[in-house]
Amino acid sequence: MTQIEWLWTMKKPQVPLAQGLHVIAVPLMKKYWEIRSDLPIKHLNGDIYFGKKEIKSIYEELKQKYQADSTYPEKIEKMVREKINNLKQITKVLEKEDASQLNKDELLASFMKGYSAIAELTAFMSFKGTVQMSDVLEQKMQELLKRKIRDGEERNNIFLLLSLPKEKSLMAQEQKSILEIAKAKQVGKDVHLLLKEHCKRFNWMSCVMYAGEPYDEEHFRKEIVEATKNDCKEVLRKQEERKKKQEIKIKDIIKELQFTKEETELLEQFRIWVHLRTYIKDMTSLGMLPTLSFLKEIAKKAKCSKKDLLYLSHKELLEIFTNKRDMLLKESAKRQKGWGFTLIKNKAQYYNNKNLREIEESEEKIPVGVKGFAACKGIARGKAIVVKSVEDLERIQQDDILITHMTTTNFVPVLSKVAAIVTDEGGITCHAAIISREMNIPCIIGTKIATKAFKDGDIVEVDANTGIVRKIK
């Protein structure tokens, strides 16, 4: 294998079918961003790696483009919005199709229509430019604040406020909707139709990279019941008041620090790209939902399970109705016991449990002590729950400390319960950092090894003022 310095970034539920999105997306990334850099990718049973040097190379290219043209982020943002709108339109078309009435070729064509639209948006996801673009703008904001504010602590507190996303995340929108329904329930209203509409709007949240089934009404009903344990009217009032105060404070900071028009535009773009980091990921999940009906019907006609198809590549899926079917299903069975994927110089390679050792990484040594970056300040103590898969979320109880690789929309139901969030992955504009500030939950991100340093049941203290997590007992 080509020697690449791999950077482990996160662990989350993954299936081989989703990896084809990267195969399509990486060449599109280079085209849309107008860059030369490639992006090697490796997946190993849920562990996700990217080429370390290439991530940096993309960052440097985007930095140069921004220096040459300050409107570059705005131009790319416009392209992202166009891809999102295109995906939404295709999603609406696919939702109207009755998969049970389509023949084999039509099923594959409809699935690929949605899949290709998702890939178009995936060309901007994560380290395919969006992380680096927000990092470029973050650096510019840090430099700006350093010129205007001498005190380091004051500067850091102001930056945390200014890095709040321009728009509410879909996770925050879902939580607000749950509280609104629970508030209606508390005053005796019939919430059946409200629940139905909520499920229609947010059931896609568990469909991250094809590794989950859409939420049903019962799932959201339980969330509503949990929410009614609090005074929902008061919770909503406090959230709205907090948001208004934050926006007023941001306006005051702009005025007090005498931001120029150019500096205000920089802040505007920075906050937009902080939002896009999570929004792009969420939109890909939303786009996956309607393709699942075609996938289930394909499985039915191919006389196999949907899971069997999830462990094929998108190109292999297109051959499921040929004489290669039996061979493909045997390969799928092997991958279900262990699988991997590499994408290097546009060449994709899939691995099963028999040849997985070719790309395995050696275990890293865990240093003493865990330190990260404070994303939302505060101190919390509680029982650690180490979440390494979506199934682990069920173990979280009120006031537990969530320790995980990274957060995604799958975490929505439990975030209102936890006393603090600690992640291995991420910077100040990552998903966990954004959500924690929206929900005012103490949060430490970028520890690298928290999920290995702590175990379930450890009583820990999360000091999000200093960025230190320690075991108490």
Side-chain angles (χ1 to χ4, degrees):
M1 180 188 292
T2 305
Q3 288 301 308
I4 292 172
E5 186 180 0
W6 291 107
L7 173 69
W8 179 87
T9 58
M10 66 194 83
K11 185 182 182 77
K12 63 179 181 179
Q14 292 280 311
V15 290
L17 183 61
Q19 308 321 306
L21 295 169
H22 302 305
V23 178
I24 299 171
V26 169
L28 292 176
M29 170 197 77
K30 298 167 76 172
K31 175 184 175 183
Y32 296 153
W33 291 91
E34 296 181 338
I35 56 177
R36 298 183 302 277
S37 302
D38 195 23
L39 183 65
I41 302 173
K42 177 167 73 169
H43 287 243
L44 186 63
N45 285 326
D47 285 299
I48 304 173
Y49 302 81
F50 292 92
K52 188 174 183 178
K53 292 179 180 177
E54 288 79 5
I55 289 175
K56 179 66 174 174
S57 177
I58 293 171
Y59 171 85
E60 292 298 336
E61 282 200 70
L62 298 189
K63 184 178 178 180
Q64 289 172 12
K65 285 186 174 293
Y66 176 71
Q67 288 172 341
D69 178 8
S70 62
T71 66
Y72 176 69
E74 189 177 345
K75 292 173 182 175
I76 299 295
E77 179 211 344
K78 183 180 178 182
M79 198 183 307
V80 170
R81 303 282 186 187
E82 287 172 355
K83 299 301 179 186
I84 289 172
N85 288 335
N86 179 58
L87 178 57
K88 286 181 177 179
Q89 289 172 6
I90 289 175
T91 294
K92 287 180 181 179
V93 171
L94 295 179
E95 284 174 343
K96 293 177 182 177
E97 291 189 24
D98 183 353
S100 65
Q101 299 302 308
L102 303 181
N103 63 36
K104 294 174 181 179
D105 290 338
E106 289 170 337
L107 283 169
L108 291 172
S110 291
F111 175 82
M112 286 306 300
K113 185 176 183 178
Y115 191 87
S116 298
I118 297 166
E120 291 264 340
L121 185 56
T122 306
F124 299 93
M125 192 170 74
S126 184
F127 287 106
K128 298 185 195 74
T130 296
V131 170
Q132 292 94 326
M133 190 72 259
S134 61
D135 285 348
V136 167
L137 296 171
E138 177 183 338
Q139 182 190 24
K140 292 295 180 183
M141 280 303 305
Q142 292 279 22
E143 291 171 356
L144 171 61
L145 293 177
K146 200 169 185 178
R147 292 195 300 269
K148 292 179 179 287
I149 306 169
R150 289 186 177 182
D151 184 75
E153 186 175 352
E154 181 188 359
R155 187 168 62 244
N156 183 57
N157 290 336
I158 286 177
F159 177 75
L160 285 175
L161 183 61
L162 296 182
S163 62
L164 285 169
K166 184 67 177 174
E167 303 171 43
K168 269 189 177 181
S169 69
L170 289 170
M171 184 181 288
Q173 291 178 38
E174 192 273 341
Q175 285 293 287
K176 182 181 179 181
S177 177
I178 285 288
L179 286 167
E180 292 281 7
I181 298 170
K183 183 182 75 171
K185 186 177 177 66
Q186 286 177 328
V187 295
K189 291 184 178 179
D190 184 353
V191 298
H192 176 71
L193 292 178
L194 292 174
L195 173 60
K196 218 170 184 58
E197 179 60 28
H198 181 91
C199 186
K200 186 178 179 181
R201 283 181 63 198
F202 298 109
N203 62 344
W204 54 268
M205 283 187 155
S206 55
C207 301
V208 180
M209 300 305 281
Y210 287 111
E213 288 292 327
Y215 288 136
D216 56 17
E217 288 185 20
E218 183 58 29
H219 169 87
F220 292 118
R221 187 177 287 109
K222 289 177 181 177
E223 276 196 49
I224 293 165
V225 169
E226 189 68 28
T228 56
K229 294 177 182 179
N230 301 301
D231 183 344
C232 295
K233 184 178 179 179
E234 181 63 12
V235 173
L236 284 164
R237 185 192 68 78
K238 286 182 178 180
Q239 286 182 357
E240 194 60 33
E241 184 180 328
R242 182 169 176 267
K243 180 65 177 173
K244 284 181 180 178
K245 284 181 177 179
Q246 287 172 337
E247 291 301 324
I248 290 171
K249 182 61 178 174
I250 289 172
K251 288 180 181 178
D252 289 343
I253 290 169
I254 292 171
K255 188 176 181 180
E256 289 168 12
L257 296 181
Q258 298 180 336
F259 275 30
T260 65
K261 181 183 177 183
E262 291 74 19
E263 290 168 345
T264 304
E265 288 173 353
L266 166 62
L267 173 59
E268 181 84 0
Q269 274 300 310
F270 173 54
R271 295 185 68 196
I272 286 171
W273 279 93
V274 170
H275 169 68
L276 289 176
R277 283 185 65 152
T278 59
Y279 190 56
I280 290 170
K281 289 180 181 179
D282 288 345
M283 285 297 99
T284 60
S285 296
L286 184 148
M288 286 174 190
L289 181 61
T291 64
L292 289 175
S293 63
F294 303 107
L295 197 63
K296 289 176 182 177
E297 196 62 31
I298 291 168
K300 186 177 177 181
K301 281 183 165 50
K303 297 181 180 179
C304 63
S305 69
K306 188 190 79 170
K307 185 176 182 180
D308 291 332
L309 300 183
L310 291 175
Y311 281 82
L312 299 178
S313 72
H314 68 294
K315 290 183 178 179
E316 290 169 338
L317 176 66
L318 293 175
E319 297 184 306
I320 195 63
F321 295 123
T322 70
N323 57 8
K324 295 182 179 180
R325 173 193 174 278
D326 292 347
M327 178 190 70
L328 292 172
L329 293 181
K330 285 179 182 178
E331 178 62 22
S332 172
K334 291 177 185 177
R335 291 176 189 167
Q336 290 175 46
K337 296 176 182 177
W339 71 278
F341 163 83
T342 58
L343 179 64
I344 301 171
K345 294 181 179 178
N346 293 338
K347 183 179 179 181
Q349 179 72 46
Y350 293 81
Y351 297 81
N352 57 41
N353 65 319
K354 301 294 183 182
N355 59 4
L356 200 54
R357 288 185 179 181
E358 295 178 25
I359 58 169
E360 284 181 345
E361 297 288 323
S362 58
E363 285 291 315
E364 58 182 315
K365 293 182 179 179
I366 301 172
V368 177
V370 175
K371 184 170 174 58
F373 304 97
C376 184
K377 292 194 172 185
I379 297 176
R381 296 178 182 86
K383 182 177 68 174
I385 300 295
V386 180
V387 173
K388 294 185 178 181
S389 69
V390 176
E391 289 74 22
D392 295 336
L393 292 172
E394 297 176 1
R395 297 187 283 104
I396 290 180
Q397 301 299 317
Q398 191 68 38
D399 296 327
D400 284 342
I401 305 295
L402 168 62
I403 299 178
T404 187
H405 298 283
M406 65 174 290
T407 61
T408 66
T409 48
N410 298 103
F411 287 68
V412 171
V414 302
L415 290 182
S416 58
K417 295 182 182 179
V418 301
I421 302 169
V422 180
T423 72
D424 290 339
E425 177 265 336
I428 203 65
T429 56
C430 73
H431 186 273
I434 294 167
I435 297 303
S436 66
R437 293 201 291 278
E438 283 187 329
M439 300 181 73
N440 199 28
I441 302 171
C443 176
I444 295 175
I445 44 90
T447 65
K448 300 299 182 186
I449 47 88
T451 56
K452 296 180 180 179
F454 301 105
K455 64 180 185 297
D456 277 0
D458 285 347
I459 304 301
V460 300
E461 178 185 77
V462 178
D463 187 343
N465 296 322
T466 62
I468 294 173
V469 188
R470 65 186 183 93
K471 181 179 176 181
I472 301 174
K473 61 179 179 179

